[in-house]
Amino acid sequence: MRYELYYWPTIQGRGEFVRLALEDAGADYEDVGNEADAGITEISYYLEGQATFRPPFAPPFLKAGETVVSHVANILQFLGPRLGLVPDDEQSRLWAHGLQLTLSDFVAEIHDVHHPIGSSLYYEDQQEEAKQRAAIFIDERLPKFLGYFEQVLELNPDSDVCLVGDEHSYVDLSLFQVVSGLRYAFPRAMAGHEEAFPGVIELVRRVAERPNVAAYLASSRRLPFNESGVFRHYPELDAD
């Protein structure tokens, strides 16, 4: 099947979590926002209900045949079995979905560091509030989330290098993306925190070396991080 991924052009954003799964699995897909001449127009057709009577609230969403699936965790729950990126048993799949939802919460908190008042305002309009939010995030929330995933790795009875079961899953890919984004947004803070989470850092290294992932990261398909996406580097928000 050829999948169609709908996400805003020029930024990784939340669409990157889906791209990584598709790329790792070697799936046939079109990145509509970046590849189609009228990508934004096509996205708008869905959001406005012209292309479907079940309109998504926002990108990313995925089209597979006649099926349209929205929200990162929901898309990955749908793709996981089809791409061989989640175990076969129901308990493991529910566990993977729960971990992905936790990562979604983490991503939302990361985004809200630079937009603590509202997404409709420019960063410059809430810079002082962002500095306060960043200090709390770096000291409390960042280590809490990474510490949780370190614990998940330690407690996994089937593997000490995978989050779910004994094989690589879409959750590993998503944690890789979150850590990569944090390294971009908060390089000084991450340099100070990484030693406390050796399992997470080893997982990130292993994911980056997977053949399809490595090829994707080296390609023009991998958009660079920038200050329009979820992960933004503002030096004044990083740790001293």
Side-chain angles (χ1 to χ4, degrees):
M1 175 176 290
R2 181 172 176 79
Y3 299 99
E4 296 175 12
L5 171 63
Y6 290 78
Y7 197 70
W8 306 121
T10 75
I11 59 173
Q12 292 183 15
R14 291 173 175 83
E16 194 66 12
F17 296 97
V18 183
R19 289 190 195 99
L20 281 167
L22 293 165
E23 290 282 349
D24 181 73
D28 182 16
Y29 80 100
E30 179 184 4
D31 190 347
V32 174
N34 286 302
E35 295 176 11
D37 292 336
I40 293 180
T41 300
E42 292 190 31
I43 291 169
S44 298
Y45 286 153
Y46 281 88
L47 301 185
E48 295 166 3
Q50 296 171 269
T52 175
F53 63 90
R54 297 188 180 103
F57 178 74
F61 54 91
L62 183 86
K63 188 171 185 289
E66 298 301 314
T67 301
V68 177
V69 188
S70 64
H71 294 281
V72 170
N74 204 27
I75 295 169
L76 293 175
Q77 185 181 45
F78 171 80
L79 284 176
R82 292 163 173 80
L83 301 182
L85 288 174
V86 71
D88 292 332
D89 63 289
E90 183 181 30
Q91 184 173 352
S92 293
R93 291 184 180 185
L94 290 170
W95 174 232
H97 186 55
L99 291 174
Q100 189 67 44
L101 289 169
T102 302
L103 284 169
S104 294
D105 290 342
F106 194 11
V107 170
E109 292 202 22
I110 294 166
H111 170 272
D112 288 350
V113 168
H114 53 76
H115 275 72
I117 297 178
S119 297
S120 61
L121 300 176
Y122 290 109
Y123 164 67
E124 289 75 16
D125 296 326
Q126 49 197 315
Q127 192 166 343
E128 290 306 312
E129 293 84 357
K131 288 180 181 178
Q132 296 179 52
R133 182 72 174 256
I136 295 171
F137 174 79
I138 289 169
D139 288 344
E140 300 176 11
R141 304 302 289 170
L142 189 155
K144 184 175 182 67
F145 275 100
L146 292 184
Y148 171 71
F149 285 100
E150 186 76 14
Q151 180 188 44
V152 171
L153 285 166
E154 292 173 354
L155 294 178
N156 184 354
D158 301 314
S159 171
D160 59 357
V161 295
C162 301
L163 289 165
V164 180
D166 60 358
E167 294 185 0
H168 172 74
S169 74
Y170 66 78
V171 189
D172 298 335
L173 292 165
S174 292
L175 182 57
F176 162 83
Q177 174 64 8
V178 169
V179 172
S180 298
L182 287 169
R183 285 171 167 172
Y184 172 78
F186 306 104
R188 293 195 298 270
M190 284 298 288
H193 278 305
E194 287 192 12
E195 186 176 353
F197 312 110
V200 169
I201 300 309
E202 174 62 14
L203 179 150
V204 170
R205 184 192 68 79
R206 290 170 63 91
V207 168
E209 292 181 351
R210 290 180 61 81
N212 285 352
V213 173
Y216 169 60
L217 296 177
S219 76
S220 60
R221 298 189 305 282
R222 170 72 165 186
L223 300 168
F225 289 107
N226 59 51
E227 277 51 74
S228 296
V230 173
F231 303 99
R232 304 186 186 187
H233 177 58
Y234 297 116
E236 62 273 16
L237 301 185
D238 201 0
D240 294 331

